[in-house]
Amino acid sequence: MQPFNMNPNEAPQKNIHGGTVQLNHGGHEVNDMHEVLDAAINVLNEYMIHYPSVKDPELKQMMDRQYRFMVDEYNMLVQCFSTGQDPAHGTKSYQMTQSNETITYGLKPSQPKKPIQSTAEVNDSHIAGHLIGLIKAATSGKTMAAFEVTNPVVRRVLQDSIPNCIEMGYELFLWQNKHGHYQVPQYTAQDTQAILQSFAPATGASLSPTGQMLQ
């Protein structure tokens, strides 16, 4: 990714009360980023807590890889939020190792789910499901916060981290699906085709009647 330097020709930001803005963060931004960073810490703590209990080597490797990536992103957010300036490096793209070409569709008979009665019942499926829930919540928080952030550096770092969160959640889903813990129901072929064919391309390409950009 490209660095996040602001345009050097831009005029300094001004405060309505006069003078140049020193703390270049809006009020909503500060509150939302406080929640985002708290959520990030919570996710990292849960990874640390559950890692020793995981039995499957593949899931353990995934958790370790995701944890290290999230720590780096957390540090980037802390750095740019506390300084309002570029972090030490540009954002990176998380690369999952699970194959997305082997998804199993359809439902197989299984025992109804219910809450566990003791910690002795906790297994890898419970842990993976818990981590997916945490990542979903953290991703939603980042997405909402991105609309409130006024600092261009913080906004870009936050915005670029969202696809990585989605990728990590999807990777956990793929592991669960492969082991039969996350089943994916399907419509019949006929119903699926009916829905796939229920939309048509748009014919209008511009709001202007002539198709020309208005000056």
Side-chain angles (χ1 to χ4, degrees):
M1 302 296 295
Q2 296 298 316
F4 311 102
N5 292 320
M6 297 172 62
N7 187 338
N9 297 321
E10 289 181 355
Q13 294 172 297
K14 299 292 183 180
N15 190 295
I16 60 173
H17 301 296
T20 302
V21 174
Q22 299 300 318
L23 297 175
N24 53 354
H25 303 287
H28 282 299
E29 173 182 350
V30 171
N31 291 337
D32 286 353
M33 285 302 298
H34 184 275
E35 292 186 6
V36 164
L37 292 171
D38 265 350
I41 290 173
N42 184 47
V43 173
L44 291 170
N45 287 347
E46 291 297 312
Y47 269 67
M48 181 67 70
I49 291 169
H50 291 293
Y51 181 79
S53 302
V54 173
K55 304 290 193 300
D56 184 76
E58 188 178 31
L59 181 58
K60 287 184 78 81
Q61 291 174 3
M62 184 190 308
M63 289 177 63
D64 181 59
R65 188 171 61 255
Q66 291 188 358
Y67 180 86
R68 285 185 278 112
F69 191 92
M70 287 189 288
V71 166
D72 183 61
E73 281 204 334
Y74 168 79
N75 287 335
M76 289 177 63
L77 278 171
V78 168
Q79 185 179 5
C80 68
F81 181 55
S82 61
T83 66
Q85 305 299 317
D86 287 0
H89 60 76
T91 51
K92 301 175 182 178
S93 295
Y94 180 77
Q95 302 295 324
M96 66 179 182
T97 59
Q98 293 288 306
S99 171
N100 59 2
E101 298 180 354
T102 57
I103 297 175
T104 300
Y105 293 91
L107 299 178
K108 294 181 179 179
S110 60
Q111 291 295 320
K113 293 183 178 180
K114 61 180 180 179
I116 61 174
Q117 300 301 304
S118 73
T119 55
E121 298 179 55
V122 175
N123 57 37
D124 289 354
S125 176
H126 295 139
I127 294 173
H130 178 54
L131 298 181
I132 288 178
L134 289 170
I135 289 177
K136 283 183 177 180
T139 307
S140 296
K142 287 182 178 180
T143 303
M144 294 297 293
F147 287 97
E148 302 290 351
V149 172
T150 56
N151 181 282
V153 178
V154 177
R155 187 190 70 82
R156 182 51 62 91
V157 174
L158 186 64
Q159 171 182 302
D160 287 348
S161 74
I162 294 170
N164 291 323
C165 294
I166 296 172
E167 199 78 354
M168 285 186 276
Y170 187 58
E171 185 178 38
L172 285 165
F173 152 73
L174 290 172
W175 179 88
Q176 283 198 302
N177 177 257
K178 181 169 63 177
H179 292 275
H181 305 312
Y182 196 132
Q183 298 190 63
V184 182
Q186 268 190 320
Y187 287 121
T188 64
Q190 180 179 356
D191 289 347
T192 300
Q193 282 300 318
I195 295 175
L196 292 176
Q197 302 302 320
S198 62
F199 297 93
T203 55
S206 173
L207 293 176
S208 171
T210 62
Q212 300 295 318
M213 291 289 291
L214 298 179
Q215 299 298 320

